[in-house]
Amino acid sequence: MTNTQYDVVAIGNAIVDILAQADDAFLAAEGMNKGSMQLMFSPEDADALYDKMGPGREISGGSAANTVAGMAALGDRCGFIGQVADDQLGQVFGHDIRAQGVRFDTAPRAGDPTTARCLIFVTPDGQRTMNTFLGASQFLPEAALDRAMIESAAILYLEGYLWDPEEPRAAMRAAIDYARGAGRKVAFTLSDVFCISRHGDDFRRLLADGLIDILFANENELLALAQGEDFEAAVSAISAQVPVLVVTRGEHGAIAVSNGERAEVGAEPIERVVDTTGAGDLFAAGFLHGQAKGQDLSTSLRTGALCAAEIISHYGARPEVDLKAMIAQKLG
Ligand SMILES: OC[C@H]1O[C@H](O)[C@H](O)[C@@H]1O
C-alpha cells in the first residue's frame, strides 16, 4: 500500500446553514418533527419557510463537510468532494471549507438549482430541527470524483444523507470501489433514521459485503438498521458486521466496539447546550482524528466527546476554538 496524502477524504452535501431561534409551538405549527431533518423539495418552499424565520446566522454546514472541517482544525490532512452551484452561497461554502484547510476542488455547477441551504430552528433546549433544500448538492456526478485524491486518503468518509439522490449515490458507490481497490478504509455515517427507512437494505448490504470499516450511528439509527428494539442486541448484531462501530448516545455519551473490545465515554459536561447542530459530525471528527493518529478506542472516543462538546456550546456546526490546542490541553 502506498503512503497516504490525506487522512480523510469525505463526500457529502455541500450546504450553507441558516440558523435561527424558535420555540416548540412554532415547530408544532409548521408540522416539524423536533430534532429531525426533513427535505424541502422546491426553492419556493425554502423561501416561504425562510420568510417565517427569525433573524438568522449563516454558517457553512453539511454533515461530512463539518466533520472534515473539524478534522482539519485538529491538524489532519483532509479533502472534500461535494457539489455547489455557481452562486454566492456556493462561494461562501467553498471559501469556508478551504479557509479551514480542507482541499475542495469540485467545480461549481452552472445554472439552477442553487447551492443547498438548510434552515435550522434551534429551540431553547438547544435541540435543532433541520429543513434542507438540497439544490445543487443532489447533482454531484461520478465525473466530479477526484480518484487520485480518494485513493491517496487513509479513510474515505461518506454521509448517509447523500445516499438519497441517485447521482451522488452512484458516485459514492464508485468512490467505495476506488478506496477499497487502493487498500483504504471506508467510514460511513447513517445520518438520520429517514435515510435508513429509505435505504436500509442498501446499508445492510454494504455491511454484509464487508465494504464498511467504520460505522457511525446514533441510538435510533442503530436500532433502525438492526430492525430491533433492544439496544444491546443491536450493538451485538451490527458490531459483528463491521470492524469498528461507533454509537453516539447524546447526553449518555458514546460507545465504540471493535473486534470484541468495547469502550465507552461519558458526554463532556458543558455550561449550556446552545445548539446541537453538528454534534454527531464533530464527534466523528474527533473519533476519526484519534483513529488516524493510531490512538486506542477510548482516546478516540474522548476526543470525539470533547469536539462535540465544543460544537454544542455555540451556534453552528463549525468549530469556534482552536480544536488542536483544546485537545492538546485536555488530553496532553
Ligand atoms: O449534521 C448537521 C448538518 O446536517 C445538515 O446537513 C446541515 O447542513 C448541518 O450542518
Side-chain angles (χ1 to χ4, degrees), residues 13-17 37 59-64 66 117-118 120 128 130 132 134 159 161 191 276-281 316-318:
N13 282 315
I15 300 179
V16 176
D17 295 341
M37 196 286 277
I59 303 172
S60 283
S63 178
N66 295 334
R117 56 194 188 275
C118 183
I120 303 182
R128 95 290 185 264
M130 306 194 291
T132 308
L134 284 172
E159 69 172 68
Y161 284 134
S191 294
T276 53
T277 307
D281 305 336
R318 298 294 173 92

Side-chain angles (χ1 to χ4, degrees), residues 13-19 37-51 53 57-63 83-85 87-90 92-93 111-121 129-138 161 277:
N13 282 315
I15 300 179
V16 176
D17 295 341
I18 303 168
L19 302 109
M37 196 286 277
Q38 56 201 16
L39 292 174
M40 299 181 290
F41 292 102
S42 75
E44 291 77 21
D45 287 349
D47 289 346
L49 189 57
Y50 183 55
D51 284 345
M53 270 189 127
R57 296 169 169 82
E58 283 79 28
I59 303 172
S60 283
S63 178
Q83 189 65 64
V84 293
D87 58 16
Q88 198 183 358
L89 282 186
V92 168
F93 179 89
D112 285 336
T114 61
T115 293
R117 56 194 188 275
C118 183
L119 306 183
I120 303 182
F121 296 88
T129 301
M130 306 194 291
N131 301 265
T132 308
F133 173 63
L134 284 172
S137 70
Q138 62 196 310
Y161 284 134
T277 307

